[in-house]
Amino acid sequence: MTIDDVKIVELPKITDPRGNLSFIEQLNHIPFEIKRTYWIYDVPGGENRGGHAFKKNEEFIVALSGAFDVIVDDGGQKKVFTLNRSYYGLYVPAGLWREMDNFSTNSLALEFGSIHYDETDYIRDYVLFLKMKHNGEI
Ligand code: TYD
């Protein structure tokens, strides 16, 4: 996988004078079956999250509120995706290093995963990530 496999997905937006509505369907807007949903909130100013890669887990990230950056790195190239609208999502395949930073006050990051939580799926050491990428192990 490379950063070219990371995709911004525009979600449906039903505009309405009473308030807008968006939605997400698995295997439609999200290209995998959702096994897990979690969210990140109350991030103090200047903090960053998610410095790791996954061996198998695919992700879909939405800025439900506020804004933040997702930095994706395939071991060769890095790209920054700014999420700041609740009707856009970012698909991040497995095998890529990713970090999140620049969280705005009261931002809310909603994340969907393709597998249940499994610490053995994480690669938390960047040097190990580069090595595994180089060897074609991820
Ligand atoms: P982690 O994925 O490292 O957070 P981030 O990528 O946002 O920096 O998870 C932080 C902690 O939360 C870690 O101890 C594992 C735990 N955790 C779960 O128990 N279940 C989950 O679904 C997730 C995402 C994390």
Side-chain angles (χ1 to χ4, degrees):
M1 290 295 168
T2 74
I3 52 170
D4 294 333
D5 299 303
V6 179
K7 303 277 180 229
I8 289 274
V9 177
E10 185 170 1
L11 299 165
K13 183 181 182 191
I14 318 292
T15 54
D16 190 310
R18 299 170 303 158
N20 301 332
L21 180 152
S22 289
F23 62 92
I24 293 172
E25 294 174 349
Q26 64 178 354
L27 300 175
N28 184 2
H29 313 101
I30 297 185
F32 55 79
E33 256 183 61
I34 299 164
K35 288 281 169 55
R36 186 160 50 103
T37 305
Y38 63 98
W39 47 99
I40 293 171
Y41 54 100
D42 291 347
V43 178
E47 283 296 341
N48 56 36
R49 305 250 359 175
H52 52 66
F54 292 115
K55 296 175 199 163
K56 286 203 211 108
N57 188 44
E58 298 167 67
E59 283 190 298
F60 192 82
I61 306 171
V62 182
L64 269 194
S65 180
F68 51 84
D69 290 339
V70 183
I71 305 110
V72 185
D73 176 346
D74 62 13
Q77 287 187 81
K78 271 189 197 191
K79 200 164 168 184
V80 179
F81 294 88
T82 299
L83 296 180
N84 55 13
R85 293 283 182 271
S86 61
Y87 51 90
Y88 280 97
L90 185 70
Y91 169 66
V92 184
L96 299 174
W97 189 267
R98 61 104 174 132
E99 293 178 27
M100 297 163 73
D101 69 8
N102 279 330
F103 286 90
S104 68
T105 306
N106 289 331
S107 57
L108 173 57
L110 181 65
E111 309 203 18
F112 300 91
S114 66
I115 67 169
H116 290 159
Y117 172 70
D118 176 4
E119 186 57 39
T120 67
D121 190 56
Y122 281 75
I123 305 161
R124 294 188 184 273
D125 176 342
Y126 186 67
V127 175
L128 176 63
F129 163 74
L130 290 178
K131 200 169 135 196
M132 290 177 80
K133 205 76 187 155
H134 181 74
N135 294 340
E137 294 169 70
I138 49 167

